[in-house]
């Protein structure tokens, strides 16, 4: 009897996983392994650096290489995952060396959609949307801004590029998935810091 295809026996869920470590530890590991400084998978998380992978990436080889390097150096690290279970709910999982593994099933805190009157939502998978976003972001200093990227209930991802300090919305963009948005934003603003929602509300 043939084994069932996983897609037939269950529903595939979108998973985002962060490898979180101190800025110094992750910087050293990234440098040792030859990662580019503007790699779009390097994000800021709770004052630390993190390396991100998700279901849209081809594999997890780079994350395992970083775990190996951090472990060899005797550094502390943590894996945090967000599994988008149903619209409006996610399972948040944390795995760290000196704590028990834990998971929380929680409602997802929705951010309000960008005010399209203030900043239109640019679809970066169209030539017009990509050109418009480039025109806006080319005028911004990467150090003056940061980007938040969230999965939407409609299955698409949304990015908001915000001014540091005031959190004023500078631009908004959408794409089929987070990895596309990260790649596009980092191509335009190579050193801009990205932020992702990985903890349950409260």
């Amino acid at each position: 009897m043939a084994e069932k295809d996983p897609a037939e026996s269950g529903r595939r869920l979108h998973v985002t996983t962060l490898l979180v470590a101190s800025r110094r530890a992750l910087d050293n590991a990234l440098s040792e392994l030859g990662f580019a400084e503007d790699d779009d998978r390097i994000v800021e998380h709770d004052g630390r650096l993190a390396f991100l992978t998700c279901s849209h990436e081809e594999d997890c080889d780079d994350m395992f290489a970083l775990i190996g390097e951090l472990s060899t150096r005797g550094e502390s690290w943590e894996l945090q995952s967000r599994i988008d279970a149903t619209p409006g709910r996610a399972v948040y999982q944390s795995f760290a060396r000196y704590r028990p593994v834990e998971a929380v099933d929680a409602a997802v805190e929705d951010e309000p959609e960008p005010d399209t009157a203030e900043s239109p939502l640019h679809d970066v998978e169209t030539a017009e949307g990509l050109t418009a976003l480039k025109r806006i972001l080319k005028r911004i200093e990467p150090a003056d801004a940061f980007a938040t990227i969230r999965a939407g209930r409609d299955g698409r991802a949304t990015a908001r590029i915000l001014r540091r300090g005031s959190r004023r919305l500078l631009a908004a963009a959408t794409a089929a998935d987070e990895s596309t948005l990260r790649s596009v934003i980092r191509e335009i603003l190579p050193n801009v810091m990205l932020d992702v929602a990985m903890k349950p509300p409260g």
Side-chain angles (χ1 to χ4, degrees), residues 118-132:
E118 181 185 352
S119 181
L121 193 59
H122 302 292
D123 185 344
V124 300
E125 293 173 306
T126 67
E128 298 83 5
L130 183 57
T131 300

Side-chain angles (χ1 to χ4, degrees), residues 23 42-44 49 142 145-148 164 186 189 191-195:
R23 188 173 296 271
I42 303 166
V43 301
E44 196 167 75
L49 276 189
F146 70 99
T148 66
R164 283 193 180 276
R186 278 279 176 80
L189 296 175
N191 298 311
V192 73
M193 193 48 72
L194 302 174
D195 176 50

Side-chain angles (χ1 to χ4, degrees), residues 127-173:
E128 298 83 5
L130 183 57
T131 300
L133 185 67
K134 282 182 177 178
R135 189 169 52 248
I136 295 168
L137 297 188
K138 288 289 187 185
R139 301 192 301 254
I140 297 171
E141 283 292 327
D144 294 338
F146 70 99
T148 66
I149 299 177
R150 306 287 186 264
R153 290 191 175 194
D154 60 357
R156 292 180 63 79
T158 302
R160 294 161 181 79
I161 296 83
L162 305 164
R163 176 79 64 193
R164 283 193 180 276
S166 68
R167 295 185 66 90
R168 183 172 71 84
L169 181 66
L170 302 172

Side-chain angles (χ1 to χ4, degrees), residues 47-175:
R48 296 184 289 171
L49 276 189
F51 185 83
L52 180 151
T53 192
C54 76
S55 304
H56 294 111
E57 303 289 349
E58 289 184 9
D59 58 47
C60 298
D61 282 357
D62 287 344
M63 181 169 282
F64 279 104
L66 283 167
I67 290 171
E69 182 65 25
L70 288 166
S71 298
T72 299
R73 291 168 173 264
E75 300 286 2
S76 296
W77 50 271
E78 177 182 359
L79 287 177
Q80 294 181 13
S81 295
R82 170 180 158 163
I83 304 165
D84 297 310
T86 59
R89 292 201 74 79
V91 175
Y92 299 86
Q93 185 178 33
S94 174
F95 174 79
R97 188 173 179 185
Y98 297 111
R99 296 200 311 263
V101 65
E102 62 181 16
V104 176
D105 181 357
V108 174
E109 270 188 356
D110 284 333
E111 288 188 358
E113 286 301 310
D115 182 351
T116 53
E118 181 185 352
S119 181
L121 193 59
H122 302 292
D123 185 344
V124 300
E125 293 173 306
T126 67
E128 298 83 5
L130 183 57
T131 300
L133 185 67
K134 282 182 177 178
R135 189 169 52 248
I136 295 168
L137 297 188
K138 288 289 187 185
R139 301 192 301 254
I140 297 171
E141 283 292 327
D144 294 338
F146 70 99
T148 66
I149 299 177
R150 306 287 186 264
R153 290 191 175 194
D154 60 357
R156 292 180 63 79
T158 302
R160 294 161 181 79
I161 296 83
L162 305 164
R163 176 79 64 193
R164 283 193 180 276
S166 68
R167 295 185 66 90
R168 183 172 71 84
L169 181 66
L170 302 172
T174 184

